[in-house]
Amino acid sequence: MPFKSLDELRAACLDLAAGSDAAANAVARRQDTLTKPQGSLGRLETIAAWLARWQGRDMPQLDRVKVFVFAGNHGITAQGVSAFPSEVTVQMVANFAGGGAAINQLARIAGAELDVIPLDLDRPTGDFTQEPAMDDEAFLAAVSAGYGAVMKDLDLVCFGEMGIGNTTPAAAISAALFGGGAEKWTGRGTGVDDAGLVRKITAIEAGLNRHAEALADPLKIAAALGGRELAAIFGATLAARHHGVPVLLDGFVCTAAAAPLARLHPAGLAHTLAAHVSAESGHRRLLEALGLPPLLDLGMRLGEGSGACLAVNVVRSALECHARMASFAEAGVSEK
Protein backbone atom coordinates (compact mmCIF):
# COMPACT_ATOMS: atom_id res chain seq x y z
CA MET A 1 0.00 0.00 0.00
CA PRO A 2 1.74 3.22 -1.12
CA PHE A 3 0.08 5.52 1.43
CA LYS A 4 0.32 4.63 5.09
CA SER A 5 -1.04 7.87 6.56
CA LEU A 6 -3.05 10.93 5.61
CA ASP A 7 0.07 13.04 6.09
CA GLU A 8 1.96 10.88 3.58
CA LEU A 9 -0.90 11.17 1.10
CA ARG A 10 -1.12 14.92 1.64
CA ALA A 11 2.60 15.30 0.91
CA ALA A 12 2.15 13.37 -2.35
CA CYS A 13 -0.71 15.70 -3.31
CA LEU A 14 1.53 18.72 -2.87
CA ASP A 15 4.42 17.26 -4.90
CA LEU A 16 3.08 17.78 -8.42
CA ALA A 17 5.10 18.52 -11.55
CA ALA A 18 3.93 21.33 -13.81
CA GLY A 19 4.20 19.48 -17.12
CA SER A 20 6.42 20.31 -20.07
CA ASP A 21 6.20 23.88 -21.36
CA ALA A 22 8.65 22.95 -24.11
CA ALA A 23 6.44 20.18 -25.47
CA ALA A 24 3.29 22.31 -25.32
CA ASN A 25 5.06 25.19 -27.05
CA ALA A 26 6.34 22.87 -29.78
CA VAL A 27 2.76 21.83 -30.51
CA ALA A 28 1.62 25.46 -30.62
CA ARG A 29 4.38 26.34 -33.08
CA ARG A 30 3.48 23.44 -35.38
CA GLN A 31 -0.22 24.33 -35.22
CA ASP A 32 0.61 27.77 -36.59
CA THR A 33 2.24 26.23 -39.69
CA LEU A 34 -0.66 23.93 -40.67
CA THR A 35 -2.99 24.55 -43.59
CA LYS A 36 -5.71 26.45 -41.75
CA PRO A 37 -6.21 29.90 -40.29
CA GLN A 38 -4.44 30.05 -36.94
CA GLY A 39 -6.73 28.96 -34.12
CA SER A 40 -9.46 27.80 -36.49
CA LEU A 41 -9.65 24.30 -34.97
CA GLY A 42 -10.47 25.85 -31.60
CA ARG A 43 -10.14 23.46 -28.68
CA LEU A 44 -8.75 20.71 -30.90
CA GLU A 45 -5.54 22.75 -31.03
CA THR A 46 -5.35 23.23 -27.28
CA ILE A 47 -6.14 19.56 -26.67
CA ALA A 48 -3.09 18.59 -28.72
CA ALA A 49 -0.94 20.95 -26.67
CA TRP A 50 -2.45 19.59 -23.43
CA LEU A 51 -1.54 16.05 -24.46
CA ALA A 52 2.01 17.13 -25.24
CA ARG A 53 2.42 19.00 -21.94
CA TRP A 54 1.44 16.07 -19.77
CA GLN A 55 3.01 13.32 -21.85
CA GLY A 56 6.21 15.37 -22.15
CA ARG A 57 6.41 14.70 -25.89
CA ASP A 58 6.69 17.20 -28.75
CA MET A 59 4.54 14.81 -30.76
CA PRO A 60 1.93 13.22 -28.49
CA GLN A 61 0.68 9.68 -29.01
CA LEU A 62 -2.42 7.68 -28.15
CA ASP A 63 -1.17 4.15 -28.62
CA ARG A 64 -2.39 2.96 -25.24
CA VAL A 65 -5.61 4.43 -23.84
CA LYS A 66 -7.24 2.80 -20.83
CA VAL A 67 -10.58 3.17 -19.06
CA PHE A 68 -10.71 2.31 -15.36
CA VAL A 69 -14.11 1.71 -13.80
CA PHE A 70 -13.99 1.47 -10.00
CA ALA A 71 -16.97 -0.06 -8.20
CA GLY A 72 -18.05 0.31 -4.57
CA ASN A 73 -21.10 -0.02 -2.35
CA HIS A 74 -22.49 2.58 0.01
CA GLY A 75 -24.07 2.41 3.44
CA ILE A 76 -25.90 5.66 2.75
CA THR A 77 -28.37 3.69 0.59
CA ALA A 78 -30.06 2.77 3.90
CA GLN A 79 -31.47 6.31 3.82
CA GLY A 80 -33.48 5.61 0.64
CA VAL A 81 -31.35 7.83 -1.60
CA SER A 82 -31.40 5.65 -4.74
CA ALA A 83 -34.08 4.32 -7.07
CA PHE A 84 -32.16 1.03 -7.38
CA PRO A 85 -31.12 -1.51 -4.70
CA SER A 86 -27.44 -1.81 -3.81
CA GLU A 87 -27.17 -5.34 -5.25
CA VAL A 88 -27.27 -3.74 -8.71
CA THR A 89 -23.62 -2.72 -8.21
CA VAL A 90 -22.51 -6.36 -8.19
CA GLN A 91 -24.85 -7.20 -11.06
CA MET A 92 -23.48 -4.40 -13.21
CA VAL A 93 -19.89 -5.44 -12.52
CA ALA A 94 -20.88 -8.85 -13.92
CA ASN A 95 -22.46 -7.10 -16.90
CA PHE A 96 -19.19 -5.25 -17.54
CA ALA A 97 -17.35 -8.57 -17.45
CA GLY A 98 -19.81 -9.99 -19.96
CA GLY A 99 -19.40 -7.06 -22.33
CA GLY A 100 -23.02 -5.96 -22.07
CA ALA A 101 -22.77 -2.41 -20.70
CA ALA A 102 -22.56 0.91 -22.50
CA ILE A 103 -18.94 1.36 -21.44
CA ASN A 104 -17.96 -1.88 -23.18
CA GLN A 105 -19.25 -0.55 -26.49
CA LEU A 106 -17.79 2.93 -26.05
CA ALA A 107 -14.38 1.61 -25.03
CA ARG A 108 -14.25 -0.64 -28.07
CA ILE A 109 -15.13 2.11 -30.54
CA ALA A 110 -12.62 4.47 -28.86
CA GLY A 111 -9.81 1.93 -29.11
CA ALA A 112 -9.42 1.82 -25.33
CA GLU A 113 -8.71 -1.02 -22.93
CA LEU A 114 -11.27 -1.48 -20.15
CA ASP A 115 -10.34 -2.46 -16.61
CA VAL A 116 -13.12 -2.88 -14.01
CA ILE A 117 -11.92 -2.87 -10.41
CA PRO A 118 -14.44 -3.84 -7.69
CA LEU A 119 -13.60 -2.63 -4.19
CA ASP A 120 -14.96 -4.72 -1.28
CA LEU A 121 -18.46 -4.88 -2.75
CA ASP A 122 -19.56 -7.18 0.08
CA ARG A 123 -18.56 -4.53 2.62
CA PRO A 124 -20.43 -1.23 2.04
CA THR A 125 -19.04 1.99 3.44
CA GLY A 126 -20.57 3.38 6.61
CA ASP A 127 -23.79 5.39 6.52
CA PHE A 128 -22.31 8.85 6.81
CA THR A 129 -25.36 10.16 8.64
CA GLN A 130 -24.31 7.85 11.49
CA GLU A 131 -20.53 7.43 11.17
CA PRO A 132 -17.69 8.21 8.77
CA ALA A 133 -18.06 6.45 5.44
CA MET A 134 -14.49 5.22 5.86
CA ASP A 135 -11.93 5.34 8.63
CA ASP A 136 -8.39 6.38 7.69
CA GLU A 137 -7.29 2.79 7.03
CA ALA A 138 -10.16 2.01 4.66
CA PHE A 139 -9.80 5.34 2.88
CA LEU A 140 -6.05 4.94 2.36
CA ALA A 141 -6.53 1.37 1.12
CA ALA A 142 -9.01 2.54 -1.52
CA VAL A 143 -6.83 5.50 -2.55
CA SER A 144 -3.87 3.16 -2.83
CA ALA A 145 -5.84 0.69 -4.96
CA GLY A 146 -6.58 3.47 -7.43
CA TYR A 147 -3.04 4.81 -7.32
CA GLY A 148 -1.58 1.39 -8.02
CA ALA A 149 -3.84 0.77 -11.02
CA VAL A 150 -2.31 3.51 -13.21
CA MET A 151 0.94 2.57 -14.95
CA LYS A 152 3.53 4.90 -16.48
CA ASP A 153 3.23 3.37 -19.95
CA LEU A 154 -0.29 4.72 -20.56
CA ASP A 155 -0.88 7.63 -22.95
CA LEU A 156 -4.34 8.67 -21.72
CA VAL A 157 -6.71 7.43 -19.04
CA CYS A 158 -10.42 7.73 -18.40
CA PHE A 159 -11.93 7.14 -14.97
CA GLY A 160 -15.45 5.93 -14.32
CA GLU A 161 -17.44 4.44 -11.48
CA MET A 162 -20.22 2.08 -10.57
CA GLY A 163 -21.86 2.30 -7.17
CA ILE A 164 -25.56 2.49 -6.38
CA GLY A 165 -26.16 5.59 -4.28
CA ASN A 166 -22.90 7.30 -5.17
CA THR A 167 -24.35 10.60 -6.40
CA THR A 168 -25.18 11.20 -2.73
CA PRO A 169 -21.55 11.15 -1.55
CA ALA A 170 -20.59 13.12 -4.67
CA ALA A 171 -23.05 15.87 -3.73
CA ALA A 172 -21.92 15.74 -0.09
CA ILE A 173 -18.24 16.11 -1.05
CA SER A 174 -19.09 19.00 -3.42
CA ALA A 175 -21.04 20.80 -0.71
CA ALA A 176 -18.26 20.24 1.82
CA LEU A 177 -15.54 21.51 -0.54
CA PHE A 178 -17.36 24.45 -2.10
CA GLY A 179 -20.23 25.34 0.25
CA GLY A 180 -23.77 26.32 -0.59
CA GLY A 181 -25.59 23.53 1.23
CA ALA A 182 -26.92 20.18 0.14
CA GLU A 183 -29.80 21.37 -2.03
CA LYS A 184 -27.46 23.27 -4.38
CA TRP A 185 -25.55 20.10 -5.27
CA THR A 186 -28.16 17.35 -5.10
CA GLY A 187 -29.86 15.86 -8.15
CA ARG A 188 -32.02 12.86 -8.86
CA GLY A 189 -29.17 10.42 -9.59
CA THR A 190 -30.67 7.15 -10.83
CA GLY A 191 -34.07 8.85 -11.08
CA VAL A 192 -35.47 9.22 -7.57
CA ASP A 193 -38.89 10.81 -7.19
CA ASP A 194 -39.58 14.00 -5.24
CA ALA A 195 -39.68 12.15 -1.92
CA GLY A 196 -36.39 10.44 -2.75
CA LEU A 197 -34.80 13.78 -3.59
CA VAL A 198 -35.86 15.14 -0.20
CA ARG A 199 -34.33 12.08 1.48
CA LYS A 200 -31.06 12.68 -0.37
CA ILE A 201 -30.90 16.33 0.65
CA THR A 202 -31.77 15.47 4.25
CA ALA A 203 -29.11 12.75 4.40
CA ILE A 204 -26.44 15.04 2.98
CA GLU A 205 -27.27 17.83 5.42
CA ALA A 206 -27.12 15.31 8.27
CA GLY A 207 -23.72 14.14 7.06
CA LEU A 208 -22.36 17.67 6.74
CA ASN A 209 -23.53 18.46 10.27
CA ARG A 210 -22.24 15.22 11.77
CA HIS A 211 -18.78 15.60 10.23
CA ALA A 212 -18.45 19.37 10.56
CA GLU A 213 -15.03 19.02 12.19
CA ALA A 214 -13.68 17.39 9.00
CA LEU A 215 -14.82 20.09 6.59
CA ALA A 216 -11.57 22.08 6.71
CA ASP A 217 -9.55 19.16 5.32
CA PRO A 218 -10.22 17.85 1.79
CA LEU A 219 -8.83 14.41 2.61
CA LYS A 220 -10.96 14.02 5.71
CA ILE A 221 -13.98 15.17 3.69
CA ALA A 222 -13.31 12.44 1.12
CA ALA A 223 -13.02 9.80 3.85
CA ALA A 224 -15.99 10.87 5.95
CA LEU A 225 -18.47 11.51 3.13
CA GLY A 226 -17.18 9.55 0.13
CA GLY A 227 -16.93 5.96 -1.03
CA ARG A 228 -14.29 3.43 -1.95
CA GLU A 229 -14.70 3.97 -5.69
CA LEU A 230 -14.46 7.74 -5.24
CA ALA A 231 -11.32 7.34 -3.14
CA ALA A 232 -9.83 5.07 -5.80
CA ILE A 233 -10.53 7.65 -8.51
CA PHE A 234 -8.79 10.25 -6.34
CA GLY A 235 -5.76 7.96 -6.03
CA ALA A 236 -5.76 7.15 -9.73
CA THR A 237 -5.93 10.85 -10.64
CA LEU A 238 -2.95 11.52 -8.38
CA ALA A 239 -0.99 8.61 -9.86
CA ALA A 240 -1.67 9.86 -13.39
CA ARG A 241 -0.19 13.24 -12.46
CA HIS A 242 2.91 11.65 -10.93
CA HIS A 243 3.37 9.38 -13.98
CA GLY A 244 2.78 12.04 -16.65
CA VAL A 245 -0.48 10.57 -17.94
CA PRO A 246 -3.27 12.98 -19.01
CA VAL A 247 -6.77 12.26 -17.69
CA LEU A 248 -10.31 12.57 -19.05
CA LEU A 249 -12.75 13.01 -16.17
CA ASP A 250 -16.23 11.57 -16.54
CA GLY A 251 -19.38 12.89 -14.86
CA PHE A 252 -20.47 14.24 -11.49
CA VAL A 253 -19.26 11.38 -9.30
CA CYS A 254 -15.87 11.15 -10.99
CA THR A 255 -15.33 14.91 -10.88
CA ALA A 256 -16.35 15.10 -7.21
CA ALA A 257 -13.95 12.25 -6.46
CA ALA A 258 -11.03 14.14 -8.00
CA ALA A 259 -12.03 17.58 -6.66
CA PRO A 260 -10.19 17.31 -3.30
CA LEU A 261 -6.92 17.33 -5.24
CA ALA A 262 -7.79 20.78 -6.61
CA ARG A 263 -8.42 22.01 -3.06
CA LEU A 264 -5.09 20.64 -1.87
CA HIS A 265 -3.05 22.06 -4.77
CA PRO A 266 -4.10 25.05 -6.94
CA ALA A 267 -3.07 23.21 -10.12
CA GLY A 268 -4.00 19.77 -8.87
CA LEU A 269 -6.28 18.99 -11.81
CA ALA A 270 -4.30 20.75 -14.54
CA HIS A 271 -3.55 17.37 -16.15
CA THR A 272 -7.27 16.64 -16.52
CA LEU A 273 -9.96 17.65 -18.99
CA ALA A 274 -13.68 17.48 -18.27
CA ALA A 275 -14.91 15.09 -20.92
CA HIS A 276 -18.53 16.17 -20.67
CA VAL A 277 -21.09 17.87 -18.47
CA SER A 278 -23.70 15.43 -17.25
CA ALA A 279 -27.41 15.96 -16.74
CA GLU A 280 -26.93 15.51 -12.97
CA SER A 281 -27.66 19.01 -11.69
CA GLY A 282 -24.56 19.51 -9.56
CA HIS A 283 -22.05 18.63 -12.25
CA ARG A 284 -22.15 21.89 -14.19
CA ARG A 285 -21.77 23.84 -10.95
CA LEU A 286 -18.84 21.67 -9.93
CA LEU A 287 -17.05 22.10 -13.26
CA GLU A 288 -17.53 25.86 -12.97
CA ALA A 289 -16.11 25.83 -9.45
CA LEU A 290 -13.08 23.89 -10.69
CA GLY A 291 -12.62 25.97 -13.85
CA LEU A 292 -13.00 22.93 -16.12
CA PRO A 293 -15.01 23.64 -19.30
CA PRO A 294 -16.52 20.41 -20.66
CA LEU A 295 -15.73 19.03 -24.10
CA LEU A 296 -19.22 17.57 -24.66
CA ASP A 297 -22.77 18.33 -23.50
CA LEU A 298 -25.02 15.43 -24.51
CA GLY A 299 -27.37 15.16 -21.55
CA MET A 300 -25.72 11.94 -20.36
CA ARG A 301 -25.94 10.76 -16.74
CA LEU A 302 -24.97 7.09 -16.85
CA GLY A 303 -21.57 7.10 -15.21
CA GLU A 304 -19.33 4.08 -15.94
CA GLY A 305 -16.82 6.43 -17.57
CA SER A 306 -19.15 6.62 -20.56
CA GLY A 307 -18.79 10.35 -21.23
CA ALA A 308 -15.03 10.24 -20.75
CA CYS A 309 -14.67 7.30 -23.12
CA LEU A 310 -16.81 9.02 -25.74
CA ALA A 311 -14.52 12.06 -25.54
CA VAL A 312 -11.50 9.90 -26.37
CA ASN A 313 -12.68 10.15 -29.96
CA VAL A 314 -12.46 13.95 -29.77
CA VAL A 315 -8.93 13.72 -28.39
CA ARG A 316 -7.95 11.27 -31.12
CA SER A 317 -9.33 13.70 -33.70
CA ALA A 318 -7.27 16.52 -32.22
CA LEU A 319 -4.12 14.44 -32.43
CA GLU A 320 -4.80 13.24 -35.98
CA CYS A 321 -5.21 16.82 -37.20
CA HIS A 322 -2.06 17.90 -35.40
CA ALA A 323 0.08 14.99 -36.57
CA ARG A 324 -1.16 14.45 -40.13
CA MET A 325 -2.18 17.82 -41.56
CA ALA A 326 0.25 19.30 -44.03
CA SER A 327 2.01 22.56 -43.41
CA PHE A 328 1.56 25.46 -45.83
CA ALA A 329 5.05 24.77 -47.19
CA GLU A 330 4.47 21.02 -47.60
CA ALA A 331 1.15 21.52 -49.39
CA GLY A 332 2.27 24.42 -51.54
CA VAL A 333 -0.54 26.58 -50.16
CA SER A 334 -0.03 30.31 -49.94
CA GLU A 335 -0.09 31.86 -46.48
CA LYS A 336 -1.83 35.14 -45.82
Side-chain angles (χ1 to χ4, degrees):
M1 190 170 87
F3 302 113
K4 297 180 174 61
S5 70
L6 290 183
D7 286 342
E8 188 176 315
L9 175 57
R10 195 184 321 278
C13 293
L14 298 175
D15 182 20
L16 302 180
S20 172
D21 286 341
N25 290 339
V27 166
R29 288 193 298 272
R30 173 170 167 77
Q31 284 286 334
D32 286 347
T33 71
L34 301 180
T35 47
K36 58 179 177 57
Q38 291 183 5
S40 60
L41 283 176
R43 290 191 69 185
L44 292 185
E45 299 184 20
T46 60
I47 288 169
W50 168 79
L51 277 177
R53 175 179 297 281
W54 297 108
Q55 292 183 359
R57 300 185 181 106
D58 287 5
M59 181 57 71
Q61 64 186 42
L62 289 173
D63 296 336
R64 191 170 183 205
V65 179
K66 195 160 187 178
V67 183
F68 294 94
V69 178
F70 299 97
N73 270 323
H74 298 265
I76 194 64
T77 57
Q79 300 298 322
V81 298
S82 176
F84 287 84
S86 58
E87 55 262 31
V88 169
T89 303
V90 174
Q91 294 164 357
M92 282 301 300
V93 167
N95 191 29
F96 298 148
I103 190 59
N104 299 97
Q105 322 321 319
L106 293 170
R108 184 181 67 255
I109 202 70
E113 301 175 58
L114 175 61
D115 192 357
V116 180
I117 302 176
L119 300 158
D120 292 335
L121 297 184
D122 58 344
R123 191 160 58 98
T125 55
D127 176 351
F128 65 60
T129 68
Q130 308 298 316
E131 60 182 330
M134 294 166 285
D135 60 19
D136 287 357
E137 182 180 2
F139 175 66
L140 290 167
V143 170
S144 297
Y147 191 97
V150 178
M151 299 291 103
K152 293 181 179 180
D153 63 347
L154 298 174
D155 298 319
L156 178 69
V157 290
C158 304
F159 299 135
E161 40 63 39
M162 179 63 217
I164 293 300
N166 65 11
T167 58
T168 301
I173 289 171
S174 299
L177 291 175
F178 297 103
E183 188 170 358
K184 175 179 177 179
W185 299 99
T186 306
R188 295 184 183 272
T190 51
V192 294
D193 58 16
D194 289 348
L197 183 60
V198 170
R199 289 193 296 270
K200 284 183 75 170
I201 293 169
T202 301
I204 292 166
E205 289 290 3
L208 294 172
N209 290 332
R210 185 173 188 87
H211 305 291
E213 76 286 348
L215 301 189
D217 184 339
L219 293 179
K220 291 182 178 179
I221 287 170
L225 299 173
R228 287 188 180 89
E229 76 274 38
L230 280 79
I233 289 168
F234 177 85
T237 304
L238 178 61
R241 180 60 166 267
H242 287 164
H243 296 333
V245 181
V247 174
L248 287 174
L249 293 174
D250 193 46
F252 183 43
V253 176
C254 187
T255 307
L261 187 55
R263 299 298 275 176
L264 289 162
H265 190 293
L269 296 182
H271 65 305
T272 73
L273 289 181
H276 76 127
V277 57
S278 80
E280 184 67 9
S281 61
H283 192 211
R284 191 178 299 274
R285 294 188 184 97
L286 184 55
L287 293 178
E288 289 171 353
L290 292 168
L292 292 173
L295 292 178
L296 303 171
D297 184 353
L298 299 174
M300 298 171 67
R301 55 179 180 86
L302 176 62
E304 303 179 6
S306 54
C309 198
L310 187 61
V312 170
N313 299 290
V314 176
V315 178
R316 287 195 184 278
S317 297
L319 180 56
E320 286 296 294
C321 288
H322 176 72
R324 298 184 184 278
M325 282 181 68
S327 68
F328 283 97
E330 290 166 342
V333 175
S334 301
E335 300 187 56
K336 66 178 180 179

